[in-house]
């Protein structure tokens, strides 16, 4: 506790603290809390009357706004006019753009020209080798790979899959290099790490869509923008985990290396990096997964591949076809995740003494490569390059019928309860409208103050300043009302997500069967491109804010459920056993033992829920959320930089407010 | 049979090699002077054409038929890129795209900038299809209330169109933000008690319309012809004050119906000049709304792939497209 209590200035308390200690359940004494809030209360008492007298107590005062739209639109006009002549573009950005274009198209044509047989076989052998040629795991992996690639072909998505893989390959390579180098810097230099961390933190809460607009301005629509957006999005986990691995190197080993007279470089190459291999591989795994999710989002700005197939299918309201393109994305995710995870897990294993030497190390790789070359050559000679037409199945018809049946029965046909459309109307009128109107009617200074107080309570002074500044920021850039509209949707979405997530999580944590059944469903939901939900969501909830909230809940729910389950599971079994032997009922066990003990994990779930719900705001724009989501979509589609970028920045600000007010800092994680 | 370099030996080695290539690549490219802006000689050669396809199906039909004929008859590879109306002009300017086949006049500023100012884009003439935007209600509603098709009576019926989103006003359903719309101004200037609710995407708008139609619920929506969905849903246009030349000149003051828009083609200037037969063919490309709808309905309604739909139409309509060939 002492780490965060700040010495109260000696000024006399002019007003009793507004906030009570939050809830009687907590045994924390009120004094430190009071003391912490005191300076803020003093400042507020002095500043608020002045601000209210000067600028009123309604919405954000227009005197305090700055016009950012006009300069942005001017900048856009300037870039358009000068893109072909300005040296910055000619000698730097265009090179980057052309290089991205050519490397991705080179990779695509390589994969497409190789043909389906060698590519599938290559992937299969690669995963087999990574999983271990002799082990069961290797064989399972090989089976998963074969299944994944065959399904991609059978769904008629071979070429689109290869386009996505090519973009992925380039993006992951570059992200890994950049992330690795940054991580190296962060791992070796304390000062670098101090600069790097806040940057990575902020990047992580930035919704992916926020990157897209400025990139479109610089690079136009197409592969370069998509590639660079993906790299920006996917590099941070690599940097973070590399730094973590290097910092966590066993001091004993380092000492040993030093005592053997190794130079700095030798120590890095022979001790530090090898010792950090596991973290680095985990970073690579995370980078790959994030790149995959971004590659599909980037279809909005012309990335091509599977994402574009999904998007195109939507224009004819064809959920089945969209799903046919979405499934390969899920399968690619499963394949890549398992393969990289296997590589990480196997690092620790020594080469077993009884194993056949031919199947290990370098020889194993040569053997794999040899088999691949020979069989591919034979296969390529015997089979045609393109995926054979008769081997494809059309799933779109049955899927569309199933979705139709499902939605029409749920939308209006539920007896007594009415159906989802009635609920959605009720939710809009009784939850979203009052929430929005309440926020809009609140004086602007009070909202800034509330952000500050919550930030201070959650994370301390730094969090307070960030939260208050970000809240004020949306006013300054003159999107106050739209932001509050979006904020009301985000808050409603977070509450619903948490209620459902905790409920499902508690059940899943207690009943193993439920968890086993849920896991594949959660995996699929997390990797399926969000756009696929659009049509069913509208069919169920009507166009409007309820639909947007529903889409956000669907997106954020898996992570919340997962973290909840994990948190509850990690509760010390002894504590649970003790309560059980004392005769506690199931509910008592959950509410008095499991939930309190799992609090840090539940707080993390809250924070993740907030970040994910906010990331979906823009996808909400596609189903009628209005407000900021609509503005970003408008900006992207009409290339109106002023409107779009301002809204994007406002979403980032809201993200900062919500993140800082829900994220407990390390020092406070454990009470006392 | 092409045989390729042997498969990666080890993922780590492979990675480091790839990394080296990347680093070399970056240093290499910054050393070699000004970059190719893309609009010059590298494109525009007549063996490959890129056509922008906006997100609606009519445009997909144009592009699919053009691609099929280009590839079959003119031996020119055609690439289709999905781009919205406005950004497609940027791509046309930079040379990333050679042709837009269906423009609804939704980006007048871009046309000014690129066609008039920079002269990097040239007009390519009529597509032959005339587009029309308006407010539409389902036929079952017009049958029940025959006078609903006159804007003057809309206020009388606003209660029919109330939703949770529109509050106590009537809801006018809007589509994707990329569409040309004057509806907010029209509502204000005609004193209508309605509110625009943006579906945010064509997919959401169509889903909403289909669901309401299935349930025979009243709705009024921004809509247009030609559109493939018109074959499925029977819609009637609401009469707005008649369109007169110039009545939509100032966005805030529009109080009249939408104009009849002959849809336009636009080409990258260099492609138009040096594009050879492919450019001539695209300039000649001209068909009617019925013909376009035939292909669009095959794609959207019968869920045929656009290639298959184009093939079917091209084979059945030899006499139409023969005239387009240079």
């Amino acid at each position: 506790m002492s780490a965060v209590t700040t010495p109260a200035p000696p000024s006399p308390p002019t007003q009793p603290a507004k906030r009570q200690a939050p809830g009687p359940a907590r045994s924390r004494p009120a004094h430190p809390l009071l003391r912490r809030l005191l300076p803020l209360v003093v400042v507020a008492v002095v500043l608020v009357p002045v601000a209210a007298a000067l600028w009123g107590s309604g919405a954000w005062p227009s005197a305090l706004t700055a016009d950012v739209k006009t300069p942005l639109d001017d900048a856009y006009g300037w870039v358009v006019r000068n893109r072909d002549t300005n040296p910055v573009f000619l000698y730097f950005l265009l090179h980057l753009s052309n290089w991205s274009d050519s490397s991705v198209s080179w990779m695509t044509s390589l994969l497409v020209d190789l043909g389906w047989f060698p590519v599938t076989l290559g992937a299969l052998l690669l995963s087999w080798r990574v999983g271990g040629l002799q082990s069961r795991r290797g064989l399972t992996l090989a089976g998963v790979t074969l299944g994944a690639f065959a399904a991609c072909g059978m769904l008629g998505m071979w070429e689109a899959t290869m386009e996505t893989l090519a973009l992925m390959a380039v993006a992951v390579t570059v992200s890994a290099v950049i992330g690795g180098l940054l991580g190296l810097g962060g791992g070796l230099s304390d000062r670098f790490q101090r600069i790097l961390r806040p940057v990575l933190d902020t990047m992580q809460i930035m919704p992916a869509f926020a990157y897209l607009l400025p990139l479109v301005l610089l690079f136009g629509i197409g592969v370069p923008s998509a590639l660079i957006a993906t790299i920006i999005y996917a590099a941070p986990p690599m940097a973070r985990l590399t730094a973590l691995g290097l910092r966590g190197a066993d001091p004993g080993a380092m000492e040993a290396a030093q005592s053997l007279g190794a130079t700095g470089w030798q120590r890095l190459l022979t001790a530090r990096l090898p010792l950090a291999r596991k973290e680095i591989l985990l970073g690579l795994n995370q980078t790959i997964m994030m790149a995959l999710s971004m590659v599909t989002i980037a279809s909005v700005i012309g990335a091509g591949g599977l994402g574009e197939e999904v998007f195109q299918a939507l224009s004819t309201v064809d959920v089945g076809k969209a799903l046919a393109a979405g499934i390969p994305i899920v399968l690619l995710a499963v394949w890549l995740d398992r393969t990289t995870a296997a590589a990480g897990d196997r690092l620790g294993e020594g080469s077993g003494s009884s194993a056949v030497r031919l199947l290990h190390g370098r020889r194993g790789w040569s053997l794999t490569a040899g088999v691949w070359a020979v069989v591919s050559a034979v296969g390529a000679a015997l089979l045609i390059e393109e995926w054979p037409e008769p081997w494809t199945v059309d799933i779109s018809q049955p899927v569309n019928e199933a979705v139709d049946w499902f939605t029409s029965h749920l939308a209006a046909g539920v007896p007594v309860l009415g159906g989802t459309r009635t609920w959605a109307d009720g939710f809009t009128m009784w939850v979203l409208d009052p929430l929005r109107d309440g926020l809009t009617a609140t004086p602007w200074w009070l909202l800034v103050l509330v952000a500050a107080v919550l930030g201070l309570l959650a994370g301390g002074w730094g969090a307070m300043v960030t939260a208050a500044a970000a809240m004020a920021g949306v006013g300054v850039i003159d999107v106050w009302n739209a932001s509050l509209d979006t904020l009301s949707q985000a808050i409603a979405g977070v509450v619903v997500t948490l209620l459902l997530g905790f409920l499902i999580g508690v059940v899943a944590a207690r009943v193993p069967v439920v968890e086993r059944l849920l896991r594949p469903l959660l995996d699929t939901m997390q990797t399926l491109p969000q756009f696929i939900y659009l049509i069913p969501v509208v069919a169920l909830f009507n166009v409007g804010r309820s639909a947007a909230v529903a889409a956000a809940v669907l997106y954020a729910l898996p992570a919340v459920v997962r973290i909840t389950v994990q948190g509850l599971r990690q509760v010390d079994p002894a504590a649970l056993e003790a309560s059980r032997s004392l005769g506690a009922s199931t509910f008592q066990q959950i509410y008095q033992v499991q939930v309190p003990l799992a609090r840090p994990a539940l707080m993390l779930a809250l924070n993740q829920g907030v970040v994910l719900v906010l990331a979906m705001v823009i996808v909400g724009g596609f189903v009628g959320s209005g407000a900021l989501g609509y503005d970003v979509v408008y900006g992207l589609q009409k290339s109106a930089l002023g409107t779009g970028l301002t809204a994007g920045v406002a979403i980032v600000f809201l993200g900062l407010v919500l993140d800082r007010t829900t994220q407990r800092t390390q020092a406070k994680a454990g009470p006392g | 049979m092409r045989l390729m370099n042997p498969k990666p030996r080890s993922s780590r080695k492979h990675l480091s090699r790839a990394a080296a290539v990347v680093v070399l690549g970056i240093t290499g490219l910054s050393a070699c002077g000004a970059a190719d802006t893309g609009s010059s000689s590298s494109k525009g050669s007549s063996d490959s054409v890129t056509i922008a396809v906006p997100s609606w199906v009519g445009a997909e039909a144009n592009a699919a038929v053009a691609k099929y004929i280009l590839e079959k008859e003119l031996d020119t590879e055609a690439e289709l890129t999905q781009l919205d109306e406005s950004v497609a002009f940027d791509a046309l300017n930079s040379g990333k795209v050679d042709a837009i086949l269906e423009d609804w006049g939704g980006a007048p500023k871009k046309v000014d900038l690129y066609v008039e100012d920079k002269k990097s884009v040239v007009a390519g003439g009529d597509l032959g299809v005339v587009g029309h935007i308006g407010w539409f209600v389902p036929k079952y509603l017009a049958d029940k209330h025959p006078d609903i098709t006159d804007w003057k009576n809309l206020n009388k019926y606003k209660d029919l169109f109330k939703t949770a989103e529109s509050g106590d006003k009537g809801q006018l359903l809007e589509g994707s933000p990329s569409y040309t719309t004057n509806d907010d101004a029209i509502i204000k200037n005609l004193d209508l008690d309605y509110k625009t609710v943006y579906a945010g995407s064509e997919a959401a708008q169509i889903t909403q319309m289909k669901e309401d139609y299935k349930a025979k619920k009243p709705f009024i929506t921004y809509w247009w012809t030609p559109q493939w969905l018109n074959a499925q849903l029977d819609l009637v246009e609401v009469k707005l004050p008649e369109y007169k030349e110039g009545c939509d000149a100032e966005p805030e003051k529009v109080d009249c119906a939408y104009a009849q828009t002959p849809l336009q083609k636009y080409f990258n200037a260099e492609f138009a000049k040096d594009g050879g037969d492919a450019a001539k063919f695209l300039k000649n490309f001209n068909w009617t709304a019925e013909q376009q709808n035939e292909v669009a309905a095959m794609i959207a309604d019968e869920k045929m792939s656009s290639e298959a739909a184009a093939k079917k139409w091209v084979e059945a309509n030899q006499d139409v497209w023969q005239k387009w060939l240079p």
Side-chain angles (χ1 to χ4, degrees):
Chain A
M1 278 305 292
S2 61
V4 278
T5 42
T6 38
S11 49
T14 43
Q15 196 190 320
K18 287 200 223 134
R19 293 186 116 256
Q20 293 280 305
R26 263 193 261 170
S27 57
R28 194 176 298 165
H31 308 299
L33 203 69
L34 265 177
R35 216 180 308 148
R36 279 204 307 154
L37 281 179
L38 197 58
L40 184 64
V41 169
V42 172
V43 171
V45 164
V46 174
L47 284 185
V48 164
V50 178
L54 270 179
W55 298 298
S57 291
W60 186 265
S62 56
L64 296 183
T65 58
D67 181 19
V68 282
K69 280 186 189 150
T70 318
L72 280 172
D73 283 332
D74 290 349
Y76 183 77
W78 183 88
V79 169
V80 166
R81 271 161 222 278
N82 294 287
R83 208 181 314 199
D84 297 345
T85 46
N86 186 279
V88 177
F89 281 89
L90 223 46
Y91 290 92
F92 179 64
L93 294 177
L94 266 170
H95 274 308
L96 215 58
S97 161
N98 290 348
W99 175 82
S100 320
D101 256 337
S102 58
S103 57
V104 171
S105 70
W106 177 82
M107 196 54 143
T108 312
S109 49
L110 176 75
L111 287 174
V112 171
D113 288 348
L114 268 178
W116 64 272
F117 187 77
V119 170
T120 310
L121 187 73
L124 186 151
L125 287 173
L126 181 72
S127 358
W128 195 352
R129 174 66 191 87
V130 167
L133 284 177
Q134 272 189 312
S135 72
R136 246 181 97 113
R137 180 170 196 173
L139 242 126
T140 325
L141 255 185
V144 168
T145 314
L146 183 65
F149 277 79
C152 294
M154 278 165 64
L155 289 167
M157 290 291 153
W158 185 261
E159 251 194 76
T161 309
M162 289 306 107
E163 276 173 36
T164 294
L165 260 188
L167 188 57
M168 281 281 294
V170 178
V172 168
T173 312
V174 180
S175 310
V177 170
I178 294 177
L181 288 177
L182 288 177
L184 201 62
L188 299 180
S189 145
D190 283 336
R191 188 184 298 164
F192 194 81
Q193 174 81 348
R194 268 203 303 280
I195 302 170
L196 190 65
R197 251 191 63 186
V199 176
L200 293 181
D201 281 346
T202 314
M203 277 171 78
Q204 211 148 39
I205 63 159
M206 244 200 240
F209 277 96
Y211 306 139
L212 300 186
L213 257 174
L215 288 171
V216 170
L217 168 68
L218 293 178
F219 298 103
I221 292 273
V223 168
S225 299
L227 184 71
I228 292 165
T230 310
I231 292 168
I232 296 178
Y233 188 62
M238 186 74 187
R240 210 181 273 270
L241 281 155
T242 306
L244 184 75
L246 290 176
R247 287 185 169 264
D250 180 12
M254 297 312 300
E255 190 63 45
Q258 193 157 22
S259 67
L260 286 171
T263 65
W265 267 110
Q266 284 172 333
R267 272 200 314 253
L268 180 68
L269 290 178
T270 58
R272 273 201 142 168
L273 277 176
L275 282 172
R277 264 194 319 197
K278 226 176 178 124
E279 278 83 5
I280 293 176
L281 263 171
L282 184 62
L284 187 66
N285 172 291
Q286 292 289 305
T287 292
I288 289 176
M289 302 316 280
M290 292 187 74
L292 191 59
S293 73
M294 189 62 184
V295 161
T296 56
I297 290 175
S299 64
V300 178
I301 53 167
L306 291 166
E308 185 170 312
E309 296 283 335
V310 173
F311 221 53
Q312 207 154 21
L314 287 182
S315 72
T316 58
V317 197
D318 192 341
V319 190
K321 207 168 132 202
L323 193 67
I327 291 173
I329 295 172
V330 176
L331 294 174
L332 279 185
V334 171
W335 167 56
L336 289 166
D337 184 40
R338 292 227 182 164
T339 309
T340 43
D345 288 350
R346 272 172 40 95
L347 274 183
E349 299 168 12
S351 46
S353 52
S354 65
V356 183
R357 303 236 344 249
L358 195 63
L359 296 179
H360 283 275
R362 194 163 296 167
R363 282 173 208 220
W365 285 112
S366 327
L367 182 72
T368 317
V371 170
W372 179 76
V374 172
V375 181
S376 301
V378 175
L382 290 177
L383 294 155
I384 12 163
E385 250 172 53
E386 275 175 40
W387 185 269
E389 191 72 31
W391 291 10
T392 58
V393 274
D394 188 9
I395 62 159
S396 79
Q397 189 78 16
V399 168
N400 283 330
E401 277 161 18
V403 170
D404 261 0
W405 185 89
F406 193 62
T407 50
S408 61
H409 280 74
L410 276 180
V414 186
V416 187
L417 299 170
T420 50
R421 296 185 138 203
T422 326
W423 305 347
D425 286 352
F427 190 71
T428 308
M429 281 187 289
W430 301 111
V431 178
L432 289 175
D433 281 351
L435 200 56
R436 178 181 62 182
D437 298 344
L439 281 174
T440 324
T442 312
W444 60 273
W445 48 264
L446 186 59
L447 285 179
V448 176
L449 194 63
V450 167
V453 168
L454 292 178
L456 181 60
L457 288 178
W461 293 98
M464 180 197 81
V465 172
T466 316
M471 193 70 222
V474 297
V476 171
I477 60 177
D478 204 8
V479 283
W480 182 255
N481 280 330
S483 300
L484 292 186
D485 190 353
T486 294
L487 185 63
S488 72
Q489 295 173 38
I491 293 174
V494 169
V495 171
V496 175
T497 308
L498 291 184
L499 285 179
L500 287 176
F502 286 167
L503 198 70
I504 301 174
V506 167
V507 173
R510 294 195 69 92
V511 189
V513 184
V514 175
E515 206 226 338
R516 262 208 306 283
L517 290 174
L518 267 180
R519 199 184 295 163
L521 187 70
L522 295 183
D523 285 341
T524 315
M525 277 171 74
Q526 264 185 324
T527 35
L528 213 55
Q530 301 95 318
F531 296 122
I532 289 183
Y533 302 143
L534 296 190
I535 291 167
V537 157
V538 170
L540 286 175
F541 302 104
N542 285 335
V543 156
R545 284 169 291 152
S546 287
V549 170
V553 169
L554 273 177
Y555 180 63
L557 199 54
V560 172
V561 170
R562 207 175 289 241
I563 298 172
T564 309
V565 172
Q566 212 160 38
L568 293 178
R569 279 277 165 78
Q570 277 166 1
V571 167
D572 186 7
L576 205 59
E577 194 52 50
S579 78
R580 205 172 291 153
S581 68
L582 286 172
S585 70
T586 309
F587 279 99
Q588 283 171 329
Q589 284 171 36
I590 293 173
Y591 288 112
Q592 291 175 2
V593 182
Q594 278 187 310
V595 170
L597 284 178
R599 237 189 67 209
L602 298 185
M603 286 309 291
L604 180 65
L606 166 69
N607 186 258
Q608 279 297 299
V610 164
V611 171
L612 290 173
V613 164
L614 212 60
M616 269 303 265
V617 162
I618 295 160
V619 175
F622 288 94
V623 293
S625 73
L628 296 179
Y630 176 84
D631 287 347
V632 175
V633 178
Y634 179 90
L636 276 172
Q637 296 190 341
K638 285 263 191 193
S639 46
L641 190 78
T643 309
L645 196 59
T646 312
V649 171
I651 293 175
V652 174
F653 279 155
L654 288 183
L656 282 171
V657 171
L658 289 173
D659 180 68
R660 293 301 190 267
T661 51
T662 55
Q663 187 182 45
R664 305 243 144 188
T665 45
Q666 296 291 308
K668 280 198 85 233
Chain B
M1 183 195 65
R2 23 196 129 63
L3 240 244
M4 351 47 201
N5 33 351
K7 205 45 200 167
R9 281 246 161 68
S10 94
S11 65
R12 221 176 316 138
K13 222 178 237 172
H14 185 57
L15 260 187
S16 57
R17 202 173 306 150
V21 171
V22 170
V23 172
L24 274 180
I26 291 172
T27 41
L29 59 81
S30 51
C32 60
D36 177 9
T37 55
S39 53
S40 49
S41 54
S42 69
K43 271 273 158 120
S45 61
S46 62
D47 53 354
S48 161
V49 178
T50 309
I51 300 174
V53 191
S55 61
W56 55 89
V57 184
E60 204 181 324
N62 303 329
V65 168
K67 176 183 162 96
Y68 189 80
I69 298 174
L70 276 170
E71 293 187 341
K72 270 272 143 43
E73 298 293 322
L74 297 173
D75 216 15
T76 303
E77 204 180 305
E79 216 176 293
L80 306 183
T81 324
Q82 178 134 33
L83 290 177
D84 281 308
E85 204 175 13
S86 169
V87 284
F89 272 99
D90 299 330
L92 214 51
N93 163 57
S94 71
K96 272 188 185 147
V97 161
D98 297 313
I100 295 178
L101 295 182
E102 177 176 322
D103 182 67
W104 284 67
K109 275 190 210 149
K110 297 270 162 97
V111 174
D112 282 352
L113 173 63
Y114 296 133
V115 179
E116 309 292 330
D117 261 23
K118 283 186 78 180
K119 302 203 189 309
S120 54
V121 175
V122 293
D126 288 351
L127 172 70
V129 179
V130 176
H132 176 63
I133 299 173
W135 295 0
F136 288 77
V137 292
K139 178 133 189 310
Y140 53 80
L141 189 66
D143 288 345
K144 210 167 153 198
H145 309 285
D147 59 343
I148 208 170
T149 53
D150 188 336
W151 69 269
K152 289 186 192 117
N153 299 319
L154 281 179
N155 276 347
K156 192 168 87 186
Y157 289 111
K158 68 160 186 171
D159 284 353
L160 288 177
F161 303 116
K162 270 199 216 164
T163 68
E165 281 300 322
S166 66
D168 52 1
K169 296 183 173 178
Q171 167 175 304
L172 174 63
L173 186 65
E174 297 279 325
S176 151
S178 69
Y179 299 158
T180 315
T181 171
N182 305 325
D183 290 354
D184 283 308
I186 296 176
I187 287 179
K188 191 165 149 264
N189 297 328
L190 294 181
D191 274 327
L192 295 175
D193 210 2
Y194 280 75
K195 187 183 172 202
T196 52
V197 171
Y198 285 85
S201 58
E202 187 176 348
Q205 188 188 13
I206 291 178
T207 310
Q208 183 71 54
M209 288 167 66
K210 275 179 147 180
E211 293 292 323
D212 285 346
Y213 198 91
K214 230 190 318 181
K216 294 269 180 279
K217 285 211 292 204
F219 65 89
I220 179 166
T221 182
Y222 167 99
W223 198 240
W224 65 97
T225 60
Q227 224 286 0
W228 59 273
L229 193 68
N230 297 342
Q232 274 182 33
L233 311 185
D234 210 346
L235 302 173
V236 183
E237 188 177 356
V238 173
K239 276 187 211 74
L240 291 170
E242 199 187 329
Y243 174 81
K244 290 197 193 70
E245 186 71 34
C247 74
D248 57 354
E250 268 183 80
E252 293 89 38
K253 294 197 178 148
V254 186
D255 57 358
C256 59
Y258 290 86
Q260 302 284 336
T261 320
L263 306 183
Q264 297 298 308
K265 294 178 284 184
Y266 286 95
F267 301 127
N268 171 277
E270 286 188 37
F271 170 73
K273 211 167 85 208
D274 311 322
D277 282 354
K280 278 186 209 138
F281 161 73
L282 289 178
K283 271 181 215 161
N284 295 339
F285 190 104
N286 187 301
W287 60 351
T288 65
E290 289 75 48
Q291 288 160 343
Q292 188 197 50
N293 256 340
E294 215 178 303
V295 181
M298 281 191 255
I299 299 172
D301 241 1
E302 298 162 34
K303 309 281 182 210
M304 282 168 79
S305 74
S306 53
E307 296 87 35
K311 182 163 182 263
K312 196 169 157 196
W313 186 87
V314 167
E315 278 165 4
N317 293 278
Q318 196 94 13
D319 51 319
V320 180
W321 57 263
Q322 281 293 344
K323 283 179 278 177
W324 305 341
L325 296 180

